[in-house]
Amino acid sequence: MSMPVVSLQNLKKIYKLGDNDVHALRGVSLDVEAGEFVAIIGPSGSGKSTMMHILGCLDRPTEGKYLLNGVDVSGLSADDLAEIRNRQIGFVFQGFNLLARTSALENVEVPLLYSRPVIPPADRRARAGKALQAIGLGDRTDHHPNQLSGGQQQRVAIARALVNEPTLILADEPTGNLDSATSIEVMRILQELRARRNITIILITHEAEIAAYATRIVAVRDGVIISDTPNEPKSLLDDAPAAPMAAAARAASA
Ligand code: ADP
Ligand code: MG
């Protein structure tokens, strides 16, 4: 099998809270291959966001290893983590996290501002424009977030996540603030990214209907994985290509 995009090996995270230790992750091991669409589900407080922060190189584990595209990032400095994060990972959050007084185009440019070597402004604009076009917002580049619907704002955030051409997209409750029709539109875009560009997606959700669009469902509880199952995804794509995980599951049970 090829090298996993993500490999978590007996990951532990302990938060020190006054005299108390909070064991947020108690030994999590998980391999995710390129092109998988993984939904992480679990009740509030089970460690999902902690796992996401470590996956996103926003925080480091207390113990255990995290290999991202084969590189052990568990011991890197904050600066090195920031660089890896910027090059390899795109984030999509529940609250969109767009800059308010800034156009859609400029919002999508933000990750490019931190790129080294420096990307010239004209190239930044061109790449941001292309990313907006790719998710169907080519005609909204000058709009500010308050001039866009929730679904459009989340699509701007997805364009921002894509502009650096990451191998991995991490989405923490991306549909949490959206109505169900708009949620489905966001899930369709994520399914499309996976199908057409082989982007690996790890998404946190507490909604079973949302997890149903993933190719694999990982359930966590009290800081450990309690189940990990392939899922035949409910496809939102017109010409639904067979999902590798589903095909593999069928082959295994044949
Ligand atoms: P979830 O996202 O599944 O709701 P979290 O990862 O946010 O779970 O939290 C897991 C556990 O770790 C919870 O008991 C939570 O209270 C605790 N926790 C999360 N972040 C911190 C922190 N920064 N300091 C102390 N405890 C934390
Ligand atoms: Mg959370």
Side-chain angles (χ1 to χ4, degrees), residues 15-17 22-24 42-51 204 220:
Y15 294 110
K16 301 268 173 206
L17 206 62
V22 180
H23 294 258
S44 174
S46 54
K48 304 183 299 295
S49 292
T50 300
M51 203 198 285
I204 287 181
V220 295

Side-chain angles (χ1 to χ4, degrees), residues 9-249:
Q9 300 170 5
N10 200 21
L11 217 66
K12 296 182 184 169
K13 180 70 184 183
I14 302 169
Y15 294 110
K16 301 268 173 206
L17 206 62
D19 290 339
N20 291 326
D21 283 353
V22 180
H23 294 258
L25 297 177
R26 299 168 182 267
V28 166
S29 296
L30 179 73
D31 279 2
V32 177
E33 305 289 332
E36 282 195 89
F37 188 159
V38 181
I40 296 179
I41 60 170
S44 174
S46 54
K48 304 183 299 295
S49 292
T50 300
M51 203 198 285
M52 210 51 137
H53 289 149
I54 294 173
L55 284 170
C57 297
L58 296 161
D59 199 359
R60 280 173 292 200
T62 311
E63 257 184 65
K65 254 194 196 176
Y66 172 21
L67 306 187
L68 175 61
N69 290 312
V71 175
D72 186 355
V73 297
S74 21
L76 293 184
S77 70
D79 281 356
D80 288 343
L81 282 179
E83 198 191 316
I84 285 187
R85 184 164 69 230
N86 193 46
R87 269 190 292 119
Q88 302 191 30
I89 303 173
F91 292 93
V92 182
F93 303 98
Q94 176 170 1
F96 321 137
N97 295 22
L98 298 175
L99 301 171
R101 275 175 248 282
T102 310
S103 71
L105 190 78
E106 288 163 331
N107 266 286
V108 175
E109 277 185 59
V110 165
L112 300 176
L113 297 173
Y114 303 103
S115 290
R116 294 294 175 270
V118 169
I119 302 173
D123 292 0
R124 285 203 305 263
R125 274 194 296 278
R127 280 174 63 175
K130 233 175 92 188
L132 280 169
Q133 253 164 27
I135 48 104
L137 283 178
D139 57 347
R140 292 287 189 279
T141 54
D142 294 335
H143 286 57
H144 287 198
N146 67 2
Q147 299 169 317
L148 296 168
S149 70
Q152 288 171 334
Q153 290 182 57
Q154 193 57 301
R155 278 151 69 193
V156 171
I158 292 172
R160 181 183 57 189
L162 288 174
V163 75
N164 264 330
E165 298 178 352
T167 51
L168 174 63
I169 289 202
L170 298 178
D172 196 345
E173 298 276 7
T175 61
N177 287 351
L178 302 175
D179 62 42
S180 53
T182 313
S183 297
I184 287 172
E185 178 56 17
V186 165
M187 296 311 291
R188 191 185 63 74
I189 291 170
L190 294 177
Q191 282 194 340
E192 227 168 53
L193 292 173
R194 167 178 173 270
R196 316 243 185 275
R197 304 196 201 179
N198 203 39
I199 292 180
T200 309
I201 300 168
I202 303 180
L203 167 146
I204 287 181
T205 182
H206 63 270
E207 294 173 86
E209 307 95 271
I210 293 296
Y213 298 110
T215 63
R216 177 177 173 190
I217 301 178
V218 173
V220 295
R221 178 167 217 128
D222 297 330
V224 294
I225 292 175
I226 55 165
S227 72
D228 182 351
T229 47
N231 182 53
E232 179 78 59
K234 203 163 131 189
S235 179
L236 298 165
L237 306 178
D238 304 332
D239 52 341
M245 277 306 289

